[in-house]
Each structure stands twice: as structure tokens, then as C-alpha cells.
Amino acid sequence: MVIKRDLYLNKLISKRQNGRIKVITGLRRCGKSYLLFNLFKDHLLQEGTDPSHIIEIQFDDFAFKKYHKADEAYSFVKNQIKDSAQYYILLDEVQLLEEFEDVLNGFLHIPNADVFVTGSNAKFLSKDIITEFRGRGDEIHINPLSFSEFMSVYPGSVQKGWKEYITYGGLPAVVLLNNSQEKAEYLKNIFEETYISDIVDRNKVKNSGDLEELINIISSSIGSLTNPRKISNTFTSHGRKISQETVKKYLEYLNDSFLVSASYRYDIKGKNYIETPLKYYFSDIGLRNARLNFRQMEETHIMENIIYNELVGRDCNVDVGVVQISERDEHGKSKRIQYEIDFVVNKGFKRYYVQSAFALPDREKVLQEERPFLKINDSFKKIIVEKSDINSYYTDEGILVIGLYDFLLDKNSLEL
């Protein structure tokens, strides 16, 4: 079964022959190798590229083991280049190549070679990998399947697809498994044996038990404001001691591995960031659920997490919004009131404010969701995403209310 990843395929196509190493990063098992060696390679062949001008090395294949040595790999690629036509060098699991940074930079000196690489260990998953190529790398970050990508291969209704997606997430291998037991076992195993192992190995974590407990705490609090002090206190209440500095380091490890994303709070009126507290969201909700053994399936928080991932997947910068105002109480005394907006979304010169609303059963609930928007003195678009099959409409205050499925399935839904 072919799962189309047109968003990422088009990015690869647009970056061809730009004089940089194209580095495909992302959460392990999110489809990096498939994107490069299936979708992108097929595109090259369909547009007429000579197969002999596509040079492939899959370093985790035993057949290519001798090319783990830098000299062997470099010589192999150089010997494949026979003429002045364009060549494409596709390298998978490139972290298995000795001195891979130097080898890749060497390939940049071949004028008719275009280099594309993936890697899947903790070092290569780190967000600072591009610096390894001395400013000559171009990152294409790939996420697990979005809901629309998931539905492109799901055979049932959108309602049943949603239930499946919020339970098992969007890792391609999970989506293609046949039953719920296989999906659950795969997610649990890969979390323990791959993600945690990578983080521990890369960062030389001495107490993996504390790291795992922190992951459990974050898993239980997606969409909730937190900070190192609060998490440290949670450890203390569980009879364990961990410093705030250690908590901060562990959170950075999780963020750098793409397992979770941090969303900072932005003071809309003050136009500045509030360093703490902040929110954490999982890059794949199925992994989060598996970590909790599929307990705590609060659809409100899961929906918020998925909307966050959708916005990030659309190449938006996403923050948590804060609106602070002064109001007088019934006694005429001034008091500070703080309203929260789920997401402040910036893309280029455009901005959107987005609220995630599980249900809007009556006008009172609509007004409750609108209230933070009405405290903002600007004209940027304001959107409430409701989990329903409603037709989109604008309120009297000019706020767009859109159904969840329409929002997720229409890539242009921010512009409705």
C-alpha cells in the first residue's frame, strides 16, 4: 500500500540541485527512508532520470557493510559517476558511515552530484545535526502521518478513522498493521527499545528510571502548563528526588529527539515570550497513549495535541497565547485577569488565533470560547475548531467556527 507524502516529496523536489546536502530528519519510524527510497526515487524515474544516475547506499543493509569505511564509500560513489549528467546520491542510515560529516562535505565538491541523506539514531535525530555540515545542509523535517494522510489509506468513515487515529497515532508501520493488539504491542516495544534507548545512549543518561518517570509525567499532562519546578515537585510527591536542572536537561533531550515539542507562552498584548510555564505535546499521539498503556484517553487533550501537530505540519510556528488585562470587580477594585488562547499561529506575515473546543452545545459555551479573542486588539483571523460535523460559519464577532474534520482534512482551512 502506498501512503502519499506529497508535502514532503514536494519539498525534496524543490530543493534539488541547490548546492546543499538535503538532510531528512524526524522521529524514528515516521517514514524518512520510505520518502527517499520509494517516493522520491520513483519521482526521479518517472521524470526520466537514468537509473544508473541514482546512486544508493543503505548502510544498514549487510550488502553495503564494507562501505561503512569512509574511503570505501567515497570511492564507490566517485566510481559510479561516469559522465557530466546529473547524479543523485541517496544515503540511508548515514550515521553508520565512519566520518560521515567529512564524506558528505566531500560529495559537495562533485559538481554534478546532488546528495540526499537520512539517519535514524539519536545523534542524527538531534535538532542540531545541520551544524555538522558546516552550514551546508538543508533540513527537511518529516512528521508522522497527519490525519489527512492517515485517512488517505484508511478504509472506513472519517468518524471511525478519528477514533483509530487518536488511539494509535500516525506512525506508518502502525497504520499498516492489521489489528489493535499488534498496533499496541508495536508502539509499546518501539518506545522502550528504540526511543528511550536512543536518548539514553546519545546523552549518556545515568538514571534512565528518572527519565522514564519524567516521560510518564509529560504523557499524563499534554496540553497542561508545566515547568521543571512543578515536575520536580511531582517527583518528590512520588517519593523520589530530582533537581530542577536535571528535569530541564531531560526535557531538552526529549525535545531534541523530536519525541515531544515544547510550545512557549506568548503575551499577545505585551508582545513578548513568557519563559515558564509552557506546554508539551507528543509528536505522535499513539506513542503517548502506549506509554500510558492506553489509559487516560481524554479526547479533549488529545484533540488539542493533534491540532497542534497539524499546525506544525503546515510549517507554522505555534505558541500558547496569553492575554493579560485589567478589569474592575463588583466592588470597583482593579484586578489582573489572564485569558489563554490555545494557539498563536504564525506563518510568514500571517497570524491566526486558534481555540480547540471539544463541544459547543449552546451559545453560552460559544461565548466562553470567544471571550479571549475579544480581548485582543488586532485584526488577525480568529478560529474555533469544534469536534463536530457542522458547516463552517462566522459568529457575529467575525470569528470562524469550523468542524474538526474539515479543519484537519482541508490543508487550506486556515484561509476559509
Side-chain angles (χ1 to χ4, degrees), residues 201-229:
D201 290 346
R202 167 177 166 77
N203 300 288
K204 298 179 175 59
V205 176
K206 295 180 180 179
N207 193 335
S208 61
D210 282 349
L211 173 65
E212 294 200 43
E213 178 63 19
L214 183 143
I215 292 172
N216 292 339
I217 292 170
I218 295 297
S219 300
S220 297
S221 60
I222 55 169
S224 299
L225 292 170
T226 191
N227 58 28
R229 179 181 59 81

Tab-separated table of all heavy atoms in Angstrom, residues 201-229:
chain	number	residue	atom	x	y	z
A	201	ASP	N	21.464	6.599	25.216
A	201	ASP	CA	22.792	6.410	24.622
A	201	ASP	C	23.409	7.734	24.193
A	201	ASP	O	24.588	7.985	24.443
A	201	ASP	CB	22.700	5.470	23.417
A	201	ASP	CG	22.395	4.040	23.814
A	201	ASP	OD1	22.521	3.724	25.015
A	201	ASP	OD2	22.023	3.241	22.932
A	202	ARG	N	22.642	8.564	23.515
A	202	ARG	CA	23.200	9.826	22.999
A	202	ARG	C	23.646	10.738	24.127
A	202	ARG	O	24.720	11.339	24.068
A	202	ARG	CB	22.168	10.563	22.146
A	202	ARG	CG	22.573	12.015	21.841
A	202	ARG	CD	21.580	12.715	20.942
A	202	ARG	NE	21.785	14.149	20.920
A	202	ARG	CZ	22.750	14.785	20.244
A	202	ARG	NH1	23.625	14.091	19.558
A	202	ARG	NH2	22.856	16.094	20.283
A	203	ASN	N	22.808	10.829	25.159
A	203	ASN	CA	23.054	11.808	26.208
A	203	ASN	C	23.731	11.221	27.448
A	203	ASN	O	23.904	11.925	28.445
A	203	ASN	CB	21.724	12.464	26.600
A	203	ASN	CG	21.072	13.175	25.438
A	203	ASN	OD1	21.529	14.220	24.991
A	203	ASN	ND2	19.991	12.588	24.920
A	204	LYS	N	24.074	9.913	27.359
A	204	LYS	CA	24.760	9.242	28.471
A	204	LYS	C	23.997	9.425	29.775
A	204	LYS	O	24.566	9.812	30.824
A	204	LYS	CB	26.197	9.755	28.591
A	204	LYS	CG	27.048	9.467	27.347
A	204	LYS	CD	28.458	10.018	27.495
A	204	LYS	CE	29.340	9.615	26.313
A	204	LYS	NZ	28.820	10.081	25.014
A	205	VAL	N	22.702	9.175	29.707
A	205	VAL	CA	21.843	9.297	30.889
A	205	VAL	C	22.171	8.171	31.864
A	205	VAL	O	22.127	6.998	31.519
A	205	VAL	CB	20.351	9.240	30.483
A	205	VAL	CG1	19.459	9.263	31.725
A	205	VAL	CG2	20.006	10.411	29.567
A	206	LYS	N	22.486	8.547	33.092
A	206	LYS	CA	22.871	7.552	34.080
A	206	LYS	C	21.662	6.914	34.766
A	206	LYS	O	21.680	5.742	35.112
A	206	LYS	CB	23.795	8.193	35.121
A	206	LYS	CG	25.136	8.647	34.545
A	206	LYS	CD	26.011	9.276	35.616
A	206	LYS	CE	27.343	9.720	35.021
A	206	LYS	NZ	28.221	10.365	36.054
A	207	ASN	N	20.644	7.715	34.992
A	207	ASN	CA	19.459	7.200	35.682
A	207	ASN	C	18.287	7.172	34.713
A	207	ASN	O	17.497	8.107	34.645
A	207	ASN	CB	19.137	8.068	36.903
A	207	ASN	CG	18.119	7.406	37.821
A	207	ASN	OD1	17.320	6.575	37.382
A	207	ASN	ND2	18.151	7.762	39.093
A	208	SER	N	18.192	6.102	33.952
A	208	SER	CA	17.119	6.010	32.961
A	208	SER	C	15.752	5.901	33.631
A	208	SER	O	14.732	6.240	33.023
A	208	SER	CB	17.350	4.809	32.037
A	208	SER	OG	17.366	3.605	32.765
A	209	GLY	N	15.729	5.441	34.884
A	209	GLY	CA	14.451	5.349	35.598
A	209	GLY	C	13.814	6.708	35.795
A	209	GLY	O	12.601	6.867	35.626
A	210	ASP	N	14.639	7.712	36.148
A	210	ASP	CA	14.106	9.071	36.306
A	210	ASP	C	13.636	9.624	34.961
A	210	ASP	O	12.611	10.310	34.882
A	210	ASP	CB	15.176	9.991	36.886
A	210	ASP	CG	15.356	9.798	38.391
A	210	ASP	OD1	14.510	9.114	39.002
A	210	ASP	OD2	16.346	10.326	38.934
A	211	LEU	N	14.381	9.334	33.895
A	211	LEU	CA	13.964	9.784	32.566
A	211	LEU	C	12.609	9.181	32.200
A	211	LEU	O	11.721	9.885	31.705
A	211	LEU	CB	15.009	9.384	31.525
A	211	LEU	CG	14.638	9.648	30.063
A	211	LEU	CD1	14.517	11.139	29.793
A	211	LEU	CD2	15.653	9.010	29.118
A	212	GLU	N	12.444	7.900	32.465
A	212	GLU	CA	11.179	7.237	32.124
A	212	GLU	C	10.031	7.775	32.964
A	212	GLU	O	8.907	7.932	32.470
A	212	GLU	CB	11.328	5.732	32.282
A	212	GLU	CG	12.309	5.118	31.285
A	212	GLU	CD	12.115	3.628	31.105
A	212	GLU	OE1	10.956	3.202	31.002
A	212	GLU	OE2	13.122	2.897	31.069
A	213	GLU	N	10.291	8.068	34.220
A	213	GLU	CA	9.248	8.642	35.066
A	213	GLU	C	8.856	10.027	34.563
A	213	GLU	O	7.668	10.380	34.543
A	213	GLU	CB	9.721	8.724	36.512
A	213	GLU	CG	8.724	9.353	37.478
A	213	GLU	CD	7.419	8.569	37.607
A	213	GLU	OE1	7.400	7.362	37.246
A	213	GLU	OE2	6.417	9.156	38.060
A	214	LEU	N	9.839	10.804	34.122
A	214	LEU	CA	9.527	12.119	33.569
A	214	LEU	C	8.666	11.978	32.313
A	214	LEU	O	7.721	12.755	32.101
A	214	LEU	CB	10.811	12.866	33.256
A	214	LEU	CG	10.636	14.300	32.735
A	214	LEU	CD1	11.727	15.204	33.280
A	214	LEU	CD2	10.675	14.358	31.207
A	215	ILE	N	8.987	10.998	31.469
A	215	ILE	CA	8.173	10.762	30.273
A	215	ILE	C	6.735	10.435	30.669
A	215	ILE	O	5.779	10.906	30.034
A	215	ILE	CB	8.779	9.631	29.424
A	215	ILE	CG1	10.113	10.071	28.817
A	215	ILE	CG2	7.816	9.217	28.307
A	215	ILE	CD1	10.877	8.959	28.128
A	216	ASN	N	6.567	9.651	31.714
A	216	ASN	CA	5.218	9.320	32.180
A	216	ASN	C	4.472	10.576	32.624
A	216	ASN	O	3.279	10.741	32.339
A	216	ASN	CB	5.296	8.327	33.344
A	216	ASN	CG	5.795	6.958	32.913
A	216	ASN	OD1	5.732	6.612	31.737
A	216	ASN	ND2	6.310	6.193	33.853
A	217	ILE	N	5.187	11.466	33.322
A	217	ILE	CA	4.559	12.698	33.804
A	217	ILE	C	4.137	13.574	32.631
A	217	ILE	O	3.015	14.110	32.601
A	217	ILE	CB	5.526	13.453	34.736
A	217	ILE	CG1	5.742	12.661	36.027
A	217	ILE	CG2	4.997	14.853	35.056
A	217	ILE	CD1	6.866	13.204	36.890
A	218	ILE	N	5.021	13.734	31.656
A	218	ILE	CA	4.691	14.542	30.474
A	218	ILE	C	3.541	13.910	29.701
A	218	ILE	O	2.640	14.600	29.195
A	218	ILE	CB	5.932	14.700	29.567
A	218	ILE	CG1	7.018	15.506	30.279
A	218	ILE	CG2	5.567	15.366	28.245
A	218	ILE	CD1	6.609	16.922	30.613
A	219	SER	N	3.542	12.586	29.593
A	219	SER	CA	2.470	11.889	28.875
A	219	SER	C	1.116	12.142	29.522
A	219	SER	O	0.095	12.243	28.834
A	219	SER	CB	2.748	10.378	28.840
A	219	SER	OG	3.961	10.084	28.190
A	220	SER	N	1.126	12.250	30.835
A	220	SER	CA	-0.131	12.449	31.567
A	220	SER	C	-0.614	13.886	31.554
A	220	SER	O	-1.736	14.158	31.983
A	220	SER	CB	0.047	11.999	33.026
A	220	SER	OG	0.334	10.629	33.118
A	221	SER	N	0.225	14.808	31.078
A	221	SER	CA	-0.124	16.225	31.200
A	221	SER	C	-0.034	16.975	29.881
A	221	SER	O	0.240	18.180	29.879
A	221	SER	CB	0.781	16.892	32.240
A	221	SER	OG	2.139	16.784	31.867
A	222	ILE	N	-0.255	16.301	28.746
A	222	ILE	CA	-0.225	17.017	27.466
A	222	ILE	C	-1.278	18.136	27.492
A	222	ILE	O	-2.387	17.957	27.987
A	222	ILE	CB	-0.467	16.076	26.267
A	222	ILE	CG1	-1.766	15.283	26.424
A	222	ILE	CG2	0.706	15.153	26.043
A	222	ILE	CD1	-2.184	14.544	25.178
A	223	GLY	N	-0.890	19.266	26.971
A	223	GLY	CA	-1.810	20.393	26.930
A	223	GLY	C	-1.953	21.135	28.244
A	223	GLY	O	-2.746	22.072	28.345
A	224	SER	N	-1.185	20.747	29.262
A	224	SER	CA	-1.233	21.428	30.557
A	224	SER	C	0.058	22.213	30.761
A	224	SER	O	1.134	21.782	30.356
A	224	SER	CB	-1.388	20.411	31.694
A	224	SER	OG	-2.588	19.679	31.559
A	225	LEU	N	-0.063	23.348	31.406
A	225	LEU	CA	1.116	24.165	31.682
A	225	LEU	C	1.978	23.493	32.740
A	225	LEU	O	1.473	23.010	33.751
A	225	LEU	CB	0.695	25.552	32.157
A	225	LEU	CG	0.017	26.435	31.104
A	225	LEU	CD1	-0.575	27.672	31.753
A	225	LEU	CD2	1.007	26.835	30.013
A	226	THR	N	3.278	23.478	32.499
A	226	THR	CA	4.188	22.865	33.457
A	226	THR	C	5.559	23.521	33.350
A	226	THR	O	5.805	24.332	32.456
A	226	THR	CB	4.286	21.339	33.231
A	226	THR	OG1	4.977	20.741	34.333
A	226	THR	CG2	5.032	21.022	31.940
A	227	ASN	N	6.442	23.182	34.266
A	227	ASN	CA	7.817	23.673	34.248
A	227	ASN	C	8.672	22.731	35.080
A	227	ASN	O	8.155	21.842	35.765
A	227	ASN	CB	7.897	25.123	34.761
A	227	ASN	CG	7.345	25.277	36.164
A	227	ASN	OD1	7.374	24.352	36.965
A	227	ASN	ND2	6.827	26.460	36.464
A	228	PRO	N	10.004	22.893	35.027
A	228	PRO	CA	10.875	21.974	35.776
A	228	PRO	C	10.578	21.928	37.265
A	228	PRO	O	10.661	20.866	37.892
A	228	PRO	CB	12.274	22.521	35.491
A	228	PRO	CG	12.157	23.133	34.130
A	228	PRO	CD	10.797	23.758	34.127
A	229	ARG	N	10.242	23.065	37.866
A	229	ARG	CA	9.952	23.076	39.297
A	229	ARG	C	8.728	22.229	39.621
A	229	ARG	O	8.739	21.426	40.567
A	229	ARG	CB	9.740	24.510	39.787
A	229	ARG	CG	9.408	24.608	41.277
A	229	ARG	CD	9.185	26.056	41.703
A	229	ARG	NE	8.100	26.666	40.950
A	229	ARG	CZ	6.807	26.486	41.245
A	229	ARG	NH1	6.444	25.704	42.229
A	229	ARG	NH2	5.885	27.099	40.513
